[in-house]
Amino acid sequence: MKEGKTTHFGYQQVPVEEKAGRVAEVFHSVAARYDVMNDLMSGGIHRLWKRFTIELSGARPGQTILDIAGGTGDLTARFSRIVGPEGTVLLADINESMLKVGRDRLLDRGIAGNVFPVQADAQYLPFPDDTFDCVTIAFGLRNVTDKDLALRSMLRTLKPGGRLLVLEFSKPQSKLLEKVYDQYSFRLLPVMGKLVANDADSYRYLAESIRMHPDQETLKQMMEDAGFVDCEYHNMTGGIVALHKGIKP
Ligand SMILES: C[S@@+](CC[C@H](N)C(=O)[O-])C[C@H]1O[C@@H](n2cnc3c(N)ncnc32)[C@H](O)[C@@H]1O
């Protein structure tokens, strides 16, 4: 019997066509507690990682920006202030639970006029060619089934000269840090997930999916293969997180 293609969902192998549904379950489940868990898990450091992403975006008033896998809208909120009333920010995510939390949160903070929530899949972006000055994907690429397809889709929708920024967990640069981080991820994280979000499995998936994600050099090569130029990355917190940048030629 011919077997279908499989891919990884954390450490499990699942049929390719099942992965998106499994990822969707994770984010439906964590949406309501997502922000509080982010602060708790990272000790608030995710705010610094995101601040650096904004700095490197070079965003300016009047620009058009896509924050794909934007979730609860941390980057979107910051971009909204920068691009101002003449600019536009699309908060896009495949998951309606995350988008709903994001939209409500932005409204509560009085951020609305230039932000448009859109349900969209990073692999098949429903936007014309050459639309965006900047595309960001923060802690999202890891969850996408076909990352090459998503990178090419982002390239297509960027304007020539536009930038892609990929903020994602990556590979710690020292063995000692890797050991400590493994203990933290596989022992503490699921317990925190259970206590705060009543969901140990989703936070176990988080730890596993991080280990399955391409390391710094591999992702840089993938971006070059997709057609980006001037690709570079910056390690943060010892490489636990890396910010990759690429330009559409
Ligand atoms: C860890 S959250 C990151 C949210 C936000 N960017 C942040 O940094 O806080 C990952 C997000 O990726 C979204 N996602 C997963 N697969 C996706 C896909 N194929 N296309 C678009 N979004 C996707 C999930 O729904 C989820 O909201």
Side-chain angles (χ1 to χ4, degrees):
M1 197 174 77
K2 192 166 165 268
E3 294 205 356
K5 270 191 159 182
T6 62
T7 187
H8 53 84
F9 171 76
Y11 287 169
Q12 298 172 42
Q13 280 295 315
V14 298
V16 165
E17 57 281 5
E18 262 182 34
K19 173 154 171 165
R22 301 285 294 270
V23 170
E25 277 170 28
V26 167
F27 288 104
H28 284 309
S29 166
V30 303
R33 309 293 288 165
Y34 178 81
D35 290 317
V36 71
M37 274 301 285
N38 258 2
D39 274 330
L40 208 63
M41 287 184 307
S42 71
I45 294 175
H46 74 103
R47 292 162 190 266
L48 301 180
W49 299 332
K50 286 170 179 163
R51 191 180 302 164
F52 184 56
T53 307
I54 298 288
E55 274 170 31
L56 219 69
S57 74
R60 293 194 303 278
Q63 287 192 328
T64 304
I65 294 185
L66 170 65
D67 180 19
I68 180 72
T72 57
D74 276 353
L75 288 181
T76 291
R78 290 168 165 90
F79 280 132
S80 166
R81 288 189 207 101
I82 296 173
V83 302
E86 305 299 317
T88 302
V89 186
L90 297 189
L91 170 62
D93 199 287
I94 200 170
N95 189 294
E96 73 254 39
S97 302
M98 291 294 281
L99 262 186
K100 187 174 178 317
V101 174
R103 199 192 49 209
D104 291 351
R105 198 171 150 232
L106 292 171
L107 285 172
D108 287 349
R109 292 163 72 184
I111 298 164
N114 58 2
V115 173
F116 299 90
V118 184
Q119 195 171 1
D121 183 339
Q123 299 166 116
Y124 309 101
L125 291 172
F127 310 112
D129 297 357
D130 306 339
T131 302
F132 302 108
D133 297 288
C134 177
V135 174
T136 53
I137 180 162
F139 305 110
L141 191 62
R142 195 181 70 241
N143 302 293
V144 174
T145 308
D146 188 336
K147 296 171 187 45
D148 297 317
L149 188 60
L151 289 171
R152 289 199 300 275
S153 190
M154 295 180 223
L155 182 80
R156 180 186 63 73
T157 55
L158 273 168
K159 294 177 184 170
R163 324 185 156 181
L164 170 67
L165 293 169
V166 182
L167 179 64
E168 191 50 273
F169 292 105
S170 205
K171 192 167 169 48
Q173 296 300 287
S174 95
K175 284 278 165 226
L176 178 64
L177 179 61
E178 194 166 19
K179 259 196 174 154
V180 175
Y181 182 50
D182 275 352
Q183 291 294 321
Y184 169 78
S185 311
F186 289 105
R187 290 183 185 272
L188 215 58
L189 217 57
V191 177
M192 280 159 78
K194 173 78 191 149
L195 291 177
V196 180
N198 194 24
D199 183 354
D201 287 347
S202 293
Y203 287 91
R204 197 165 297 115
Y205 163 73
L206 169 67
E208 292 179 3
S209 66
I210 290 170
R211 285 2 179 241
M212 298 304 287
H213 188 66
D215 66 13
Q216 286 87 337
E217 281 296 325
T218 310
L219 179 55
K220 181 173 176 233
Q221 187 63 53
M222 287 166 67
M223 289 172 65
E224 286 168 355
D225 292 346
F228 288 94
V229 296
D230 297 334
C231 296
E232 58 179 37
Y233 62 82
H234 301 262
N235 284 321
M236 291 184 270
T237 319
I240 286 178
V241 162
L243 177 61
H244 283 70
K245 186 181 96 177
I247 307 288
K248 175 167 175 172

